[in-house]
Amino acid sequence: MRLPIIAANWKMNLLLNDARNWVKDFKHSLPELSSCGVVVAPPFTSLSTVKNELAGTEIQLAGQDIGLALEGAHTGDISAKMLKDVGCDYVILGHSERRRDHHESDSMVNEKIKIALSQGLKIIFCLGENEKQRQDGETQEIVKEQLLSGLSGISSEEINHIVIAYEPVWAIGTGNNATPEQAQEVHAFIRTLVAQEYGDAVASHIRILYGGSVKSKNSKDLLGQPDIDGALVGGASLVAHEFCAIINTLI
Ligand code: PGA
């Protein structure tokens, strides 16, 4: 039985005061969490504040990226060591916005996954095809390439610390979510690939989240699919009660 995860990716949103209010509202309407794990990924500037505000809850904290080094002369970068130090449990890696805005390649994502693992961080590893690739029938090819490159050199012990997030780029921030059937098809494909690489036991345990315009209106159908083990939520996570409503779908 896979415990689902619902993760909030705030991206570059919410100032300190907004973050404090979000946690206050969230705690107010927080459902019983026995049936899922919850992860919140604020921007670097509010990690510490959110960590403090979440004290006493079971909600886990994530960073949204790490640099390629652990310390040193890398102006503007934040290291895996720093995320660990501030109290992060997870880091989101390979998000399509980082691939697009910062030219992150599959091999760079793979390097970051290894660095994050070395520091004891768990990973939400994002992948997904863009609109043209889907139209051209290349979805499986792209997903396979991103998955296998990202996991290159990762052992069957290490993969237990990785959660995969299938995020079709055309569905992110567009309001145009993948249908539950479209998402399920890719999730099942990803699980098959994991089984081929790591065996059936690993594949049956690994969590595969769906991301891309998830909201409380569509979450029940998406999360009801057999291979969808949770959601990575961007826009709809910025309002605490909407994020709670998505979590409530699982209860
Ligand atoms: P969205 O973003 O929910 O706003 O589509 C999801 C994500 O990019 O993680």
Side-chain angles (χ1 to χ4, degrees), residues 9 11 95-97 167 171-175 211-214 232-236:
N9 176 9
K11 309 190 179 187
H95 193 281
S96 64
E97 287 152 13
E167 297 208 306
I172 295 178
T174 58
S213 296
V214 175
L232 180 54
V233 188

Side-chain angles (χ1 to χ4, degrees), residues 173-195:
T174 58
N176 180 24
N177 60 286
T179 64
E181 295 72 25
Q182 283 173 321
Q184 166 58 26
E185 191 183 350
V186 181
H187 282 233
F189 175 65
I190 292 172
R191 203 175 299 286
T192 303
L193 291 173
V194 173

Side-chain angles (χ1 to χ4, degrees), residues 143-161:
V143 163
K144 182 174 181 181
E145 193 176 305
Q146 292 180 349
L147 184 81
L148 298 187
S149 308
L151 296 180
S152 168
I154 302 300
S155 71
S156 47
E157 201 281 310
E158 289 172 320
I159 198 162
N160 293 321
H161 304 285

